[in-house]
């Protein structure tokens, strides 16, 4: 079996058990000797940066909680192997004959994962008019409204009321939380 015969399928799992399902499925494939029918098994995640206790922390966030991607040749045996893995609720796109994800879509998700590893994203996305609370720096605990978003620099201009006057302050994405 070469990889061109294997298609990508989305498998629905219990939310929070994606990594356990991946490990269980890999173990079942090995035990049943079906390695030639399966390719990669992915939990689509990206790296995000947030501020915790004054330090930048990078953590992993799932794109699609409750789903994993499985590259496989679909036949009765492989269908049963996946379907009978603990904490799997089924395939997306048909219960008995699921449709594969297009190769373009699979590659887009893989590329998104790779980009997330090399350049972690901020945990929150901001828009003008969002209410935010400052969680770091000299304006700690102040609240304000986002006036401008500079995504390329990962900075915001926030209007904070100081002594009864609105004052624009430039802050990094990770210095604020949405309210």
């Amino acid at each position: 079996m070469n990889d061109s015969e294997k298609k990508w399928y989305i498998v629905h799992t219990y939310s929070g058990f994606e990594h356990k399902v991946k490990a269980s499925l890999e173990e079942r494939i090995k035990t049943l000797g079906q390695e030639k029918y399966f390719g990669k098994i992915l939990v689509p995640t990206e790296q995000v940066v947030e501020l915790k206790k004054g330090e930048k922390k990078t953590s992993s966030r799932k794109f699609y909680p409750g789903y994993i991607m499985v590259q496989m040749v679909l036949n009765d045996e492989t269908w049963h192997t996946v379907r009978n893995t603990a904490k799997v609720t089924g395939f997306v796109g048909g219960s008995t004959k699921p449709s594969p994800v297009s190769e373009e879509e699979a590659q887009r998700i893989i590329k998104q994962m790779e980009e997330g590893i090399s350049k972690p994203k901020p945990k929150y996305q901001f828009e003008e008019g969002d209410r935010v609370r400052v969680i770091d720096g000299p304006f700690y605990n102040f609240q304000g409204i986002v006036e401008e978003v500079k995504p390329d620099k990962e900075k915001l201009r926030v209007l904070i009321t100081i002594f009864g006057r609105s004052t624009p302050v430039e802050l990094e994405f990770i210095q604020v939380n949405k309210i």
Side-chain angles (χ1 to χ4, degrees), residues 124-135 139-149 156-161 169 171-179:
Y124 301 102
Q125 300 299 318
F126 298 98
E127 294 177 22
E128 291 174 20
D130 283 349
R131 293 190 51 75
V132 294
R133 177 186 307 278
V134 181
I135 58 167
F139 299 102
Y140 177 78
N141 232 0
F142 276 76
Q143 292 183 18
I145 295 181
V146 176
E147 183 182 56
E148 184 185 354
V149 180
L156 303 166
R157 180 178 301 137
V158 178
L159 288 178
I160 293 177
T161 305
V169 177
L171 299 164
E172 291 183 34
F173 283 3
I174 62 169
Q175 289 183 289
V176 297
N177 275 347
K178 282 187 180 181
I179 297 178

Side-chain angles (χ1 to χ4, degrees), residues 39-55:
K40 296 178 184 151
I41 300 172
L42 303 175
V43 178
T45 55
E46 63 185 341
Q47 300 300 309
V48 292
V49 179
E50 61 184 317
L51 212 60
K52 281 196 175 162
K53 297 179 184 152
E55 290 182 33

Side-chain angles (χ1 to χ4, degrees), residues 88-157:
V88 166
T89 55
F91 284 88
V92 172
S95 56
T96 53
K97 187 89 176 91
S99 345
V101 175
S102 71
E103 189 59 33
E104 295 75 34
E105 179 68 8
Q107 290 309 316
R108 187 190 64 75
I109 293 169
I110 292 166
K111 186 172 182 278
Q112 192 176 354
M113 287 173 67
E114 288 166 354
E115 285 172 357
I117 291 167
S118 62
K119 188 175 189 315
K121 291 181 174 170
K123 187 165 186 178
Y124 301 102
Q125 300 299 318
F126 298 98
E127 294 177 22
E128 291 174 20
D130 283 349
R131 293 190 51 75
V132 294
R133 177 186 307 278
V134 181
I135 58 167
D136 180 54
F139 299 102
Y140 177 78
N141 232 0
F142 276 76
Q143 292 183 18
I145 295 181
V146 176
E147 183 182 56
E148 184 185 354
V149 180
K150 301 175 184 174
D152 49 324
K153 293 181 178 166
E154 295 189 2
K155 294 195 179 223
L156 303 166
R157 180 178 301 137

